[in-house]
Every structure is written in C-alpha cells, then in structure tokens.
Amino acid sequence: NAGVTQTPKFRVLKTGQSMTLLCAQDMNHEYMYWYRQDPGMGLRLIHYSVGEGTTAKGEVPDGYNVSRLKKQNFLLGLESAAPSQTSVYFCASVAGTEAFFGQGTRLTVV
Amino acid sequence: GQQLNQSPQSMFIQEGEDVSMNCTSSSIFNTWLWYKQDPGEGPVLLIALYKAGELTSNGRLTAQFGITRKDSFLNISASIPSDVGIYFCVSSNTGKLIFGQGTTLQVKP
C-alpha cells in the first residue's frame, strides 16, 4: 500500500544490538499499530498509538518501545535484540476499521 | 486476552473449487473483517461486516457476520490460482484490531 512505508525491509542483528524500525504514513490517520507475524500465529499487536504523542501496549509489548513524536511517523525500537524477536514486523495505519499495512520488515536476530 | 479461532489452518484445493473458512470467538464483537495477505506483502482488506446477520459479497467472495456476533465465515467461489495467500479474520475492540491465526490457501491449477 503506497500510503504506509516501512524501513528497512530487511535487517540482520546480533543478539544485544539495538535498532529502530520506522513507519511513515501520508494519510493523516490518527491510529497506527505495530504487529509481528510468526508462522501459525497470525499478527500479534506489539504497541499502538491513537494519536501524536500517545502510545499504548498491545498483546506482546515486552522487549519493544515505541514513539509517536509526529503524527505521520510511528517508530518501533528494540533496545537489546534477542533471537525470539526474529520475525516479520508490520506497521499499519488505520482509518475507522480499515487498516492499511506496510510491506513489512523481515528481522533476523542471530 | 481476546482470541479469534480460525479454521481450517490450511487448505489445498483444486482450481475451480469453492472454499469456506470460519472464525469464532468467545467474545462478542461489533465488527468482523476479512483480510488477505499475498506472499511477501502486508494484509489487505477484502470485506468488512458491521451488523449481526449481515451477508456481504465482493466479487467471488462472500462473508457473513454471525447472528450471535461471535463468529463469521468467508466463502470463495470458483477458486483461481491468484486466490493463493493467507486469509485472516479480524475484529475490532476498543481501537485494537485483533487477528485470527490465519487460513493458508493453496490452489492447484
């Protein structure tokens, strides 16, 4: 979806390293979400934001932090990466009940 | 937490066959959504349902919002190879979108 852009698309980290995933949307949506997708488990909500300056925990928030300093950007941080955080991460921007997803970030922690 | 139980987990069918999948929950929801994820892409909305008993179609896809508000099903008629992907039921509660585990569909030409 052209309206939601995730960077980077791929990344390999060593255990203990930190990194930030960036999600940018140009649709002026208030709600933004970060999910992780693991085989057989669907998409699980990590953190979400209902507007600029606000964040809230989702289903699996441990090991992650987020910030929403600007309405169009939602950042997901890993302070000390662990192999259990190997996953595909999706950002979504939501209008009403329709979510627009980015193309995902494939993260491998070795 | 709230869970959506989706079945079957996977399906392998012949092109031209009809497909049916469903989603159940122990909780009542006011919205049921069906998304499709193509390989290497993010999920995309197929159908949205907002009323108990509602039956909605989108081309060869038909979805229904269960009367009890605890379930929904999705049917695909006359499947084609591009129907391949993962189908998710999704519901919404207090601003959070909750995903089922997904049904992986493979279509044999």
Side-chain angles (χ1 to χ4, degrees):
Chain A
N1 292 303
V4 179
T5 304
Q6 285 183 236
T7 53
K9 290 186 169 46
F10 303 93
R11 185 75 185 268
V12 178
L13 285 180
K14 293 183 179 178
T15 298
Q17 285 185 319
S18 63
M19 78 164 293
T20 300
L21 283 67
L22 171 64
C23 178
Q25 54 102 356
D26 59 5
M27 296 173 283
N28 202 36
H29 291 161
E30 294 290 342
Y31 284 54
M32 295 185 74
Y33 300 76
W34 275 106
Y35 290 89
R36 61 176 289 172
Q37 184 175 24
D38 302 293
M41 301 188 75
L43 275 73
R44 292 183 292 168
L45 182 62
I46 303 171
H47 286 280
Y48 65 104
S49 169
V50 300
E52 181 179 316
T54 73
T55 63
K57 293 181 180 180
E59 183 186 358
V60 288
D62 293 343
Y64 305 96
N65 56 75
V66 287
S67 65
R68 184 96 181 268
L69 298 179
K70 294 183 178 180
K71 188 177 185 179
Q72 63 267 36
N73 296 334
F74 194 28
L75 279 62
L76 177 71
L78 286 73
E79 290 188 349
S80 179
S84 61
Q85 294 177 304
T86 293
S87 188
V88 181
Y89 291 85
F90 285 99
C91 172
S93 174
V94 176
T97 53
E98 181 168 5
F100 297 85
F101 284 85
Q103 289 196 308
T105 297
R106 185 173 294 275
L107 176 65
T108 302
V109 183
V110 297
Chain B
Q2 294 168 315
Q3 281 191 316
L4 301 182
N5 299 308
Q6 200 171 338
S7 65
Q9 285 192 330
S10 62
M11 303 180 74
F12 189 87
I13 62 170
Q14 198 77 31
E15 181 177 0
E17 288 183 353
D18 297 343
V19 172
S20 184
M21 58 191 79
N22 67 76
C23 197
T24 61
S25 174
S26 58
S27 302
I28 291 175
F29 291 106
N30 293 320
T31 303
W32 283 95
L33 310 166
W34 285 92
Y35 279 76
K36 182 194 177 195
Q37 184 180 26
D38 289 325
E41 302 288 333
V44 174
L45 181 66
L46 296 174
I47 292 179
L49 302 160
Y50 300 105
K51 292 182 185 178
E54 181 181 355
L55 184 71
T56 298
S57 293
N58 178 5
R60 292 178 296 105
L61 278 62
T62 302
Q64 184 159 27
F65 191 145
I67 293 175
T68 64
R69 292 162 61 195
K70 293 183 178 182
D71 60 352
S72 177
F73 72 76
L74 175 70
N75 286 341
I76 305 173
S77 62
S79 59
I80 58 178
S82 62
D83 290 335
V84 164
I86 305 176
Y87 292 80
F88 292 102
C89 64
V90 180
S91 198
S92 175
N93 186 27
T94 60
K96 291 184 284 188
L97 292 179
I98 303 164
F99 280 72
Q101 305 97 320
T103 294
T104 300
L105 178 64
Q106 295 178 300
V107 180
K108 184 177 181 181

